[in-house]
Amino acid sequence: QVQLVESGGGLVQAGDSLRLSCAASGRTLITYAMGWFRQAPGKERVFVAGLTRYGGTTIYGDSVKGRFAISRDNAKNTVFLQMNSLKPEDTAVYYCAASPVSSTTYSRTYSDSEQYDYWGQGTQVTVSS
């Protein structure tokens, strides 16, 4: 089993930056592809960023490309989401999730929330105008 705990959310002004963390226990995260999703009030959960297992290939949703960056610290068994140039439309609950699929499979299926076996509890990000 894998337990995931997100942290680092908060209230910021438009244009500011935040760094979210996803700390894992139970298994080493390098064996999982990792994804970040977000869900705004009244809207569907959408894919934000992904990182393949073992390697370092990254994938980003169109709305955050060029502003967000996903990374992994293997020594800390933690995945990060660096968020820059934040906009009010980024306001949402952010979730990290772990998937066991290969990098080649993940390149096709990263946006499918059903493939992820483990999810964190979420952390709130609020961006004011």
Side-chain angles (χ1 to χ4, degrees):
Q1 298 296 309
V2 177
Q3 290 77 46
L4 303 174
V5 179
E6 302 97 334
S7 62
L11 174 63
V12 298
Q13 300 286 335
D16 286 351
S17 297
L18 278 176
R19 193 185 197 192
L20 305 183
S21 298
C22 177
S25 61
R27 305 284 289 180
T28 177
L29 288 185
I30 198 171
T31 65
Y32 293 89
M34 298 297 300
W36 285 95
F37 290 76
R38 68 187 184 189
Q39 187 167 23
K43 297 185 178 180
E44 299 293 322
R45 182 177 297 180
V46 298
F47 173 82
V48 175
L51 179 66
T52 57
R53 69 179 188 177
Y54 296 111
T57 301
T58 58
I59 304 168
Y60 297 98
D62 290 339
S63 64
V64 305
K65 189 173 297 183
R67 298 189 297 122
F68 290 11
I70 186 173
S71 62
R72 172 162 48 207
D73 187 328
N74 294 329
K76 297 181 179 179
N77 206 29
T78 300
V79 173
F80 302 97
L81 183 67
Q82 178 67 45
M83 305 185 295
N84 299 321
S85 302
L86 283 164
K87 306 174 181 179
E89 66 191 60
D90 295 319
T91 295
V93 176
Y94 284 71
Y95 301 89
C96 68
S99 169
V101 305
S102 69
S103 59
T104 53
T105 298
Y106 192 69
S107 68
R108 306 190 316 270
T109 64
Y110 56 87
S111 63
D112 181 8
S113 63
E114 300 295 327
Q115 75 171 282
Y116 295 87
D117 291 341
Y118 305 102
W119 292 81
Q121 85 291 343
T123 186
Q124 176 71 47
V125 173
T126 302
V127 185
S128 63
S129 301

